[in-house]
């Protein structure tokens, strides 16, 4: 199983995963043209995809969804509430390309099993995914107001994690956002801060965890070095040796991560 975080942040999100038999995209948060350009950077082509999984209907996750699906005749998988919430945003999708993938279920895509789990976020029915292949476990988890015990149990001891580290609380509080947006981000249906990401990861990282990618960083209220340093300091306070046991890695809004084998 291989993956690349094609783009991650407050401006757009897309995640690619492949096995010997299946190639899937999760979310299309940029224009179709930009997503195609990102695929070129990892030597892949979206026309080779077998489908697109959707996490929720916010524009930074579905901006290019309809375009990409129609252009390459790609099936879209989302839960029923998300379909209702996003249909007016993505244009007409042929019936034969529309599939349901409900929350807290598992679907098999040939040699790849995908497990969905719900998160607390201000969307209709947001869900993220754990990918299982030949005993390996890869988790994608962002857009969480908080990390519940149920989520921790589902994603614990993944081989690799793409995990939200959205904002630095001080930067957010001193920043230009109106209070209503600050309150939304800090709330139980908003986003995970750097410090909270570190605290949650301390209960999620297991013996087989090798890499954690910090994702969905706010363009205005975070920085890569700050997120990494904050999460690392929190983990080290909890007894983890980051460089020895596993690594913390960045994601980017414009440059995809290299294609990594889990």
């Amino acid at each position: 199983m291989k993956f690349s975080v094609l783009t991650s942040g407050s401006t757009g999100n897309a995640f690619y995963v492949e096995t010997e038999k299946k190639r899937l995209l999760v979310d299309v948060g940029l224009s179709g043209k930009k997503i195609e350009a990102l695929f070129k950077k990892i030597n892949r082509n979206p026309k080779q995809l077998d489908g697109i999984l959707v996490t929720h209907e916010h524009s930074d996750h579905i901006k290019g969804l309809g375009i990409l699906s129609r252009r390459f005749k790609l099936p879209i998988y989302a839960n029923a509430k998300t379909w209702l919430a996003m249909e007016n945003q993505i244009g007409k999708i042929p019936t034969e390309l529309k599939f349901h993938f409900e929350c807290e279920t598992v679907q098999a895509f040939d040699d790849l099993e995908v497990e969905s789990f719900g998160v607390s976020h201000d969307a209709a029915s947001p869900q993220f995914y754990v990918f299982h292949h030949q005993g390996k476990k890869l988790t994608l988890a962002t857009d969480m107001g908080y990390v519940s015990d149920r989520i921790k149990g589902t994603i614990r001891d993944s081989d690799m994690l793409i995990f939200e580290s959205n904002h630095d609380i001080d930067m957010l509080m001193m920043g230009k956002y109106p209070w209503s947006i600050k309150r939304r981000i800090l709330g139980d249906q908003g986003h995970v801060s750097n410090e909270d990401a570190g605290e949650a990861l301390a209960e999620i990282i297991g013996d087989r965890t090798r890499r954690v990618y910090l994702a969905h960083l706010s363009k205005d209220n975070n920085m890569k070095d700050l997120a990494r340093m904050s999460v690392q300091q929190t983990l080290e306070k909890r007894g983890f040796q980051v460089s020895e046991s596993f690594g913390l890695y960045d994601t980017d809004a414009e440059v995809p991560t290299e294609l990594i084998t889990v």
Side-chain angles (χ1 to χ4, degrees), residues 57-210:
E57 73 277 8
H58 289 170
S59 61
D60 61 325
H61 293 261
I62 64 165
K63 182 176 182 179
L65 176 62
I67 293 168
L68 209 68
S69 173
R70 287 186 291 271
R71 183 175 298 165
F72 299 110
K73 295 182 172 56
L74 299 174
I76 298 173
Y77 298 82
N79 64 49
K81 289 181 179 179
T82 298
W83 269 115
L84 285 174
M86 74 180 180
E87 279 191 300
N88 290 335
Q89 301 179 58
I90 64 175
K92 186 170 177 60
I93 303 296
T95 303
E96 64 269 20
L97 297 180
K98 296 170 69 173
F99 293 86
H100 280 182
F101 191 161
E102 295 305 325
C103 196
E104 313 297 340
T105 63
V106 177
Q107 286 203 31
F109 298 84
D110 280 339
D111 60 344
L112 179 64
E113 280 198 342
V114 185
E115 177 183 5
S116 64
F117 61 93
V119 299
S120 178
H121 193 55
D122 56 351
S125 183
Q127 66 185 32
F128 281 79
Y129 302 99
V130 182
F131 301 89
H132 301 272
H133 175 71
Q134 294 182 352
K136 298 291 187 178
K137 182 177 179 180
L138 168 66
T139 291
L140 174 65
T142 67
D143 296 79
M144 301 175 286
Y146 67 99
V147 189
S148 68
D149 289 341
R150 177 183 51 80
I151 291 173
K152 291 172 187 173
T154 299
I155 70 178
R156 186 170 286 125
D157 203 20
S158 297
D159 293 272
M160 297 190 187
L161 292 126
I162 297 85
F163 198 83
E164 179 169 46
S165 191
N166 177 258
H167 59 277
D168 174 79
I169 293 175
D170 290 337
M171 284 184 70
L172 175 65
M173 294 305 293
M174 292 186 294
K176 62 185 180 181
Y177 286 9
W179 172 241
S180 59
I181 295 179
K182 292 179 181 179
R183 186 170 57 189
R184 170 193 170 265
I185 293 169
L186 293 168
D188 281 351
Q189 291 188 316
H191 291 281
V192 174
S193 70
N194 296 337
E195 185 176 345
D196 285 346
E199 292 289 350
L201 284 167
E203 298 183 47
I204 292 165
I205 291 166
D207 291 340
R208 71 183 194 181
T209 304
R210 290 293 171 263

Side-chain angles (χ1 to χ4, degrees), residues 11 16 20 44-45 51 55 61 73 117 121 147 191 202-203 219 247 254:
T11 55
Y16 171 73
E20 293 85 350
R44 294 294 187 269
N45 193 317
T55 62
H61 293 261
K73 295 182 172 56
F117 61 93
H121 193 55
V147 189
H191 291 281
E203 298 183 47
K219 183 175 69 173
E254 298 182 7

Side-chain angles (χ1 to χ4, degrees), residues 33-72:
K33 185 176 181 180
K34 287 183 177 178
I35 291 293
E36 287 187 63
L38 291 171
F39 266 102
K40 281 186 178 179
K41 291 182 178 180
I42 62 166
N43 296 313
R44 294 294 187 269
N45 193 317
K47 71 181 180 182
Q48 298 172 310
L49 287 168
D50 295 297
I52 305 171
L53 310 182
V54 179
T55 62
H56 62 293
E57 73 277 8
H58 289 170
S59 61
D60 61 325
H61 293 261
I62 64 165
K63 182 176 182 179
L65 176 62
I67 293 168
L68 209 68
S69 173
R70 287 186 291 271
R71 183 175 298 165
F72 299 110

